[in-house]
Amino acid sequence: MPDSLFSVLRAHCSGGVALAFSGGVDSALLLHALLRLQKETAFPLLAYYFHTPLHTEEETRAALCAAREAGAELVEMRFDPLQMPALRFNPPDRCYLCKKQLFSLMKQDAQARGLLTLMDGTHADDHKQYRPGLRALRELGVVSPLAAAGLNKAAVRALAAEWGLACSSKPSAPCLATRFEYGAELTAEAVRRVEAGEALLHRLFPNRPLRLRVHGNLARLELPAELMPRALETAGEIVPALRALGYHHISLDMLGFRSGSMDETHLHTSS
């Protein structure tokens, strides 16, 4: 374990740790680091997983399996952001509003169990991007050891690979609300349509980063540039399937896959 990460964890673990666990490489690495430290210095540790409609069933199955295989004690909670009136029309500070509520629930439960420290998998690169949810973490006193230790995404993946974690090359999977324009109405039906559409794309392009972005009844596909020829070759399969989900127009984004593309217009107009 890198000395910097070990030092951060040791400074915060003695009173017990509640870790927000999503199953992604960031929280998975942090969980394994805490479990390693726990063998040297005994302290209470619980991993918290939130079932929400903004994450796919496949992600949930994989996350629960990963936590159990690691031997972590897991707390499963349910939280439905779609029931929050403030999130109905996908505001630009959606992530702040959602994380504030989610981590407040987690903090309440953790305190009742006597756990003093809340942790999450925010890494150093997150502080260089539009991440309104970081404000919620600060307000609730959540500790982000990866960021505090100066580990960026590349370093996290490298360490996860070194430790033999299966998720080391797993593409990031942010919540499904990121597929919609700010101001668009978020409904359970609209979210499930995106989930079904991306499931189709993942079957065609397994283990590759991709997004299905929604603009009304238009579906915009973001794929790595090298996959675009294959997408055009399989248009006869993709287009009918997405139209069956209710998307009238199907487009292939020539800029390719990029994380946070729905923020581009917002950041441009608000700057």
Side-chain angles (χ1 to χ4, degrees), residues 22-28 55-56 58-59 62-63 123 153 156-157 160 165-175 179 198 201-203 205-211 222-224 226-227 257-259:
S22 69
V25 63
D26 307 314
S27 62
H55 292 87
T56 69
E58 177 58 32
E59 289 168 18
H123 54 77
K153 191 72 172 188
V156 168
R157 289 195 182 280
L165 302 189
C167 62
S168 63
S169 59
K170 179 182 177 181
S172 298
C175 88
R179 308 323 193 254
E198 285 198 355
L201 297 176
H202 281 297
R203 286 195 296 272
F205 311 109
N207 301 315
R208 301 303 303 273
L210 58 84
R211 299 286 185 270
E222 289 184 13
L223 301 171
E226 66 271 17
L227 295 183
F257 168 79
R258 58 222 186 268
S259 179

Side-chain angles (χ1 to χ4, degrees), residues 100-169:
K100 186 66 180 285
Q101 182 64 22
L102 186 151
F103 276 93
S104 293
L105 293 171
M106 179 178 161
K107 185 172 185 176
Q108 182 179 11
D109 188 86
Q111 288 180 335
R113 297 172 186 266
L115 302 175
L116 298 186
T117 301
L118 269 62
M119 287 188 181
D120 88 314
T122 297
H123 54 77
D125 286 342
D126 287 324
H127 289 274
K128 302 175 184 177
Q129 302 172 355
Y130 179 62
R131 294 286 189 269
L134 295 178
R135 179 160 65 99
L137 302 182
R138 290 193 299 270
E139 291 175 356
L140 292 169
V142 178
V143 176
S144 302
L146 301 177
L151 298 180
N152 60 18
K153 191 72 172 188
V156 168
R157 289 195 182 280
L159 186 55
E162 181 182 327
W163 287 358
L165 302 189
C167 62
S168 63
S169 59

Side-chain angles (χ1 to χ4, degrees), residues 216-266:
N217 59 17
L218 182 148
R220 173 168 59 88
L221 279 55
E222 289 184 13
L223 301 171
E226 66 271 17
L227 295 183
M228 290 185 186
R230 174 66 177 156
L232 294 174
E233 292 170 6
T234 56
E237 181 176 355
I238 293 173
V239 171
L242 293 183
R243 281 185 169 170
L245 291 173
Y247 301 115
H248 298 172
H249 308 286
I250 319 300
S251 70
L252 182 60
D253 191 325
M254 295 183 68
L255 292 177
F257 168 79
R258 58 222 186 268
S259 179
S261 72
M262 284 301 198
D263 294 327
E264 293 168 353
T265 301
H266 166 69

Side-chain angles (χ1 to χ4, degrees), residues 17-118:
V17 174
L19 171 67
F21 181 76
S22 69
V25 63
D26 307 314
S27 62
L29 177 70
L30 195 50
L31 176 61
H32 280 265
L34 286 163
L35 289 170
R36 290 188 177 206
L37 182 60
Q38 201 177 41
K39 292 178 181 179
E40 303 174 20
T41 307
F43 60 91
L45 169 64
L46 291 177
Y48 280 73
Y49 183 82
F50 279 84
H51 294 263
T52 89
L54 294 181
H55 292 87
T56 69
E57 293 181 6
E58 177 58 32
E59 289 168 18
T60 296
R61 284 193 295 269
L64 298 181
C65 180
R68 288 166 184 150
E69 287 182 352
E73 231 183 306
L74 190 66
V75 176
E76 298 180 53
M77 301 184 73
R78 296 193 176 275
F79 171 56
D80 187 355
L82 299 180
Q83 298 302 311
M84 296 176 61
L87 295 188
R88 179 180 176 185
F89 290 101
N90 200 26
D93 63 346
R94 172 198 67 238
C95 194
Y96 165 74
L97 297 169
C98 185
K99 281 188 181 293
K100 186 66 180 285
Q101 182 64 22
L102 186 151
F103 276 93
S104 293
L105 293 171
M106 179 178 161
K107 185 172 185 176
Q108 182 179 11
D109 188 86
Q111 288 180 335
R113 297 172 186 266
L115 302 175
L116 298 186
T117 301
L118 269 62

Side-chain angles (χ1 to χ4, degrees), residues 172-223:
S172 298
C175 88
L176 294 172
T178 62
R179 308 323 193 254
F180 297 86
E181 296 177 288
Y182 292 125
E185 185 173 11
L186 296 178
T187 66
E189 179 184 1
V191 169
R192 294 284 72 84
R193 288 167 62 201
V194 167
E195 180 179 1
E198 285 198 355
L200 164 71
L201 297 176
H202 281 297
R203 286 195 296 272
L204 294 172
F205 311 109
N207 301 315
R208 301 303 303 273
L210 58 84
R211 299 286 185 270
L212 189 158
R213 310 285 191 187
V214 178
H215 305 264
N217 59 17
L218 182 148
R220 173 168 59 88
L221 279 55
E222 289 184 13
L223 301 171

